Each structure stands twice: as C-alpha cells, then as structure tokens.
Amino acid sequence: MADLRGNWAGRVGKFGGAAYDFGVEREWLARPAGRALWGTDTRLLFDSFKVIGELPDGAAVLDIPCGGGLALRGMRARQEIRYVAADISPDMLERARRRAAALGHHGIEFTKADIEHLLFADGEFDLCLCFNGLHCLPDPAAAVRELARVLKPGGRLVGDSAVLGAGVRQDLLIGVFQRAGVFGPGGTADDVQRWLTDAGLRVDRLQRSGAVVHFAAVQ
C-alpha cells in the first residue's frame, strides 16, 4: 500500500526490520538502547507480555503489528488459546513464524493485515495487543477504533506508543523518523488517552516512561 501503513515493509526493508528485531528481542540490548534513544525503561514493555499468559484456555488474541513475534514470549507452554499474529510486512511475519517455532508455539495463525481495516468480525477477540506500532500509522485513532471493534465486551487492548512531549531530544528523534516516512503524525500521551476513550474503551492504565506511553484499556 502506498501510504504509511506499509512503510516498515517499503522503507525500512529486510535489513532495517532485521536490525530492529535483533535489538528489541534482546533485553540486555533493548534496555540501554531504550534509555538512550527514548529515555524509557523497556522492562515495562516486556512486563506487558505477561497478560497473554494470564489468559484462560479458549481465549482469542490478536497481536498487530506482531513484528518479529516479540510478544510470543508471553505465552505459556502448551497454552490452549487462539493466537493471531498479524502484520503488514511479509518479512516480519516470516520472522514471527520462525520465532514461534523456536519457542515451541504451534497453531499460531499468521496473516497479512492492515490495522486500520481489519478483516475480523466484531467482538472476535478477548485481547488485542498493539506494541510499537501506533506511532508509525497515518491515522492511529482509526487503528484504535478498529481494535476496539474486534474486542469482545470486557476484552482488553494492551500496547504502547512513542509520543511527543517527553523532551526536546526525543521530539527531534521522532521528527527524524517522520521525515524519513517511518513514523506517522503521532501524538502526545493525552492524544493516546483520547484515541482510547473516543473508541469507547475504559482506560485502566496510561503510564509514560520517557517518550513511550504504555496503556491498557477495556471494552
């Protein structure tokens, strides 16, 4: 697609995606990089994945953008849930497939999908995950509305987003990514809260760590 939804695939490419994945998958590297680049504590990101393992058997999860399958580490061994890993990048989906195999998670559904136009039914999922993706989109509010639409009543949306307003250095870095066409217009922490509430979600958690906001909301 000729817009920002496909920029990770089109602009970052295989090498950039592989480099990003290499860094974010390794906590010993992600923690100092997150602190240096965004002033954030990446332990909050990794702790967020625990919500997957807390799900009862039979639950349904949508992970979009799944990237290289980072959140899969939150699944319990032999956990009987429906896990849909979706991304607009075929390269990232292939990396996610390999990661699932390495972790011994079988039965994962991998699908190419546009987060702003999801081909899933209303109320299909108990949990939607959206990590490191909203800030890349041309219309993050539309993406949140779609995620809210596919959540069951009482379902949860958990994720994070880079935000403006944390500091001059971080705002300048976001501007660099925006000019490169990798980031979309983005928003502030207040904007993230507004996207969630405007989509009809109740915000349970909105925690800013440097230039990253972590959120959890309920349908």
Side-chain angles (χ1 to χ4, degrees):
M1 296 182 181
D3 60 27
L4 287 169
R5 290 187 293 271
N7 271 349
W8 270 108
R11 293 182 182 272
V12 176
K14 287 186 178 181
F15 177 78
Y20 162 80
D21 232 29
F22 181 89
V24 77
E25 285 178 358
R26 292 159 175 80
E27 291 189 55
W28 61 267
L29 184 56
R31 288 179 63 182
R35 185 67 68 185
L37 292 173
W38 304 110
T40 191
D41 184 352
T42 58
R43 286 176 296 188
L44 295 172
L45 170 66
F46 292 103
D47 284 346
S48 295
F49 302 150
K50 295 176 182 178
V51 69
I52 304 168
E54 296 167 357
L55 290 170
D57 288 349
V61 180
L62 173 62
D63 178 3
I64 183 169
C66 67
L70 182 66
L72 288 167
R73 66 175 60 197
M75 285 185 67
R76 304 190 311 270
R78 295 178 295 280
Q79 188 176 8
E80 296 294 331
I81 60 175
R82 178 192 178 200
Y83 195 110
V84 180
D87 203 291
I88 202 166
S89 166
D91 293 329
M92 283 299 191
L93 286 171
E94 182 55 36
R95 293 184 65 83
R97 286 189 185 92
R98 293 198 297 268
R99 181 155 187 82
L103 291 170
H105 296 320
H106 306 290
I108 307 295
E109 300 174 34
F110 298 96
T111 183
K112 185 177 180 182
D114 178 352
I115 192 172
E116 294 182 20
H117 303 281
L118 296 173
L119 300 178
F120 299 108
D122 295 356
E124 190 166 341
F125 296 96
D126 299 279
L127 173 66
C128 287
L129 308 173
C130 187
F131 294 109
N132 300 338
L134 289 181
H135 47 260
C136 297
L137 303 174
D139 191 351
V144 173
R145 288 194 299 270
E146 274 291 86
L147 293 170
R149 179 184 66 78
V150 301
L151 275 175
K152 297 178 181 179
R156 302 181 69 198
L157 170 60
V158 178
D160 66 4
S161 179
V163 294
L164 296 161
V168 173
R169 181 168 58 84
Q170 286 82 14
D171 283 357
L172 288 172
L173 181 58
I174 289 173
V176 169
F177 285 126
Q178 288 173 331
R179 288 189 293 275
V182 176
F183 277 21
T188 64
D190 288 341
D191 289 324
V192 174
Q193 181 162 9
R194 176 172 51 81
W195 300 337
L196 295 167
T197 56
D198 285 354
L201 300 173
R202 184 188 76 239
V203 179
D204 282 348
R205 176 194 180 207
L206 194 77
Q207 180 179 1
R208 191 168 81 176
S209 174
V212 179
V213 162
H214 299 267
F215 56 83
V218 178
Q219 174 63 278

